[in-house]
Amino acid sequence: MVVRIEVDERACTGCRLCEAVCSFAHEGGVGPALARVWVLNTDLWGPRRVVVCRQCAVPACEKVCPVGAIKVVAEESVRYVGVDHDLCVGCGACEDACPYGAIAMHPDKPWPIKCDLCGGDPACVKYCAAGALSSATGSAPVRARERRLRVVKRGS
């Protein structure tokens, strides 16, 4: 069962193909604002930070959603934190609550976008030429408190 995407930031070349593939797979168009994974470059030659939902065991975004639109979805081949667009009111509380900056409001629609692991076969992982992304399998998703590094929110 796929439960998250693992990132080896040392292997990331900053090509941003993951963003292009993700946005095309979900939106039919290419652009970082439409992607569910983002590559942040601190400078031209400096380290890169890859931002993708960590599929927290106890998601902060789920806790703050006033209408219950964010829920853990567990299917046979995948477990992820999903957004029910029919329930979402577009308040953005989930975006503010994510400690990793891995959820953002859609630029054209009234709901957030975040990684849904592409139904258990993440497109970004398949097309990452550098091998910086991989699908993690197991029974337990990553817990937010187990991560020492916080990712700077996009646009900060």
Side-chain angles (χ1 to χ4, degrees), residues 17-37:
L17 182 60
C18 56
E19 292 178 353
V21 168
C22 176
S23 60
F24 189 77
H26 285 89
E27 303 288 335
V30 175
L34 299 173
R36 279 89 172 135
V37 58

Side-chain angles (χ1 to χ4, degrees), residues 9-22:
E9 291 176 343
R10 295 168 298 168
C12 179
T13 63
C15 72
R16 303 179 92 162
L17 182 60
C18 56
E19 292 178 353
V21 168
C22 176

Side-chain angles (χ1 to χ4, degrees), residues 3-155:
V3 294
R4 68 184 169 280
I5 294 173
E6 293 277 332
V7 179
D8 179 355
E9 291 176 343
R10 295 168 298 168
C12 179
T13 63
C15 72
R16 303 179 92 162
L17 182 60
C18 56
E19 292 178 353
V21 168
C22 176
S23 60
F24 189 77
H26 285 89
E27 303 288 335
V30 175
L34 299 173
R36 279 89 172 135
V37 58
W38 305 284
V39 178
L40 305 177
N41 293 321
T42 55
D43 62 50
L44 184 60
W45 303 107
R48 289 160 192 84
R49 179 84 55 211
V50 179
V51 179
V52 65
C53 181
R54 296 180 182 193
Q55 310 300 341
C56 299
V58 181
C61 57
E62 180 184 36
K63 284 180 163 183
V64 301
C65 182
V67 295
I70 299 179
K71 298 178 181 122
V72 174
V73 177
E75 298 172 355
E76 191 171 311
S77 63
V78 65
R79 181 233 178 254
Y80 65 95
V81 180
V83 179
D84 183 334
H85 298 157
D86 293 331
L87 291 177
C88 182
V89 294
C91 70
C94 54
E95 181 179 26
D96 294 337
C98 179
Y100 303 107
I103 188 167
M105 295 306 292
H106 195 291
D108 303 318
K109 298 175 184 167
W111 54 67
I113 54 175
K114 61 169 299 307
C115 179
D116 61 5
L117 298 172
C118 295
D121 190 19
C124 60
V125 171
K126 282 198 296 194
Y127 291 96
C128 180
L133 303 176
S134 61
S135 297
T137 59
S139 59
V142 70
R143 287 181 169 75
R145 68 179 176 274
E146 293 172 357
R147 297 292 186 160
R148 293 189 309 262
L149 295 175
R150 287 181 52 120
V151 173
V152 176
K153 289 195 177 200
R154 204 166 42 140

